[in-house]
Amino acid sequence: VRAVGAPVTAFDKRDVVLVSGGARGVTAASIVELARRGSPRVVLLGRTQLEDEPAACRGVSGDAELKRALMAQAQAAGQKLTPAELGARVARIVATREIRATIEAIRAAGSGVRYLAVDAQAFRKNVVAFDTAAVCDQALDGRLFLFSKHGGLR
């Protein structure tokens, strides 16, 4: 993808910003700010499948506390978790929480938002096609922009 036309200085509610790899971290903060400035519709593409976290982890924060909660849950179920399995489960919970927080921040900023779990590598290679009406919940009547943490706004 290459940049076409003049630099983008403003967005409005008709525009759609498709963000690859931006549901967490500094890119997420940038997209939240972009939403505050113009309220475009935002579509976040990420690798993380959003899952409900185990009941034992609700209201629990911090890696060590999450690990204790997961270990207690596993032991109660007669299961054993390896350190790697435990770490991976905690990482998924933390990632899901961060993504949900980004989604809520974008909504609070006035933008519609949708998160889609996709294979980002396949998307970048144009293997994954998408229907803008399905992705945006309505027909595209504004401009479509692609923002990738690997390449900026297009």
Side-chain angles (χ1 to χ4, degrees):
V1 177
R2 63 179 181 80
V4 177
V8 178
T9 58
F11 295 93
D12 65 39
K13 291 185 182 292
R14 295 173 302 153
D15 295 330
V16 175
V17 178
L18 182 65
V19 184
S20 169
R24 300 168 51 201
V26 70
T27 306
S30 299
I31 297 304
V32 170
E33 182 58 30
L34 184 146
R36 283 189 189 107
R37 293 179 181 212
S39 300
R41 292 173 280 171
V42 177
V43 180
L44 299 171
L45 304 178
R47 295 179 308 220
T48 304
Q49 292 286 336
L50 295 184
E51 305 169 347
D52 291 332
E53 63 184 59
C57 295
R58 292 189 192 121
V60 176
S61 60
D63 283 2
E65 292 81 6
L66 285 167
K67 286 177 181 177
R68 277 194 284 279
L70 289 170
M71 285 297 290
Q73 182 183 39
Q75 288 173 345
Q79 300 171 337
K80 289 188 176 187
L81 295 175
T82 67
E85 291 170 328
L86 190 58
R89 288 185 185 187
V90 168
R92 280 194 304 273
I93 291 167
V94 170
T96 297
R97 287 178 177 180
E98 290 174 355
I99 294 166
R100 290 186 195 281
T102 298
I103 290 168
E104 289 309 311
I106 291 169
R107 283 189 182 128
S111 285
V113 61
R114 180 176 237 180
Y115 177 84
L116 300 172
V118 298
D119 178 340
Q121 293 298 327
F123 181 81
R124 279 195 283 280
K125 292 178 183 174
N126 296 318
V127 173
V128 175
F130 67 94
D131 175 354
T132 57
V135 168
C136 302
D137 292 324
Q138 59 190 6
L140 181 62
D141 56 354
R143 301 166 296 174
L144 175 66
F145 300 91
L146 171 63
F147 186 89
S148 170
K149 69 179 182 179
H150 302 291
L153 194 60
R154 308 272 187 224

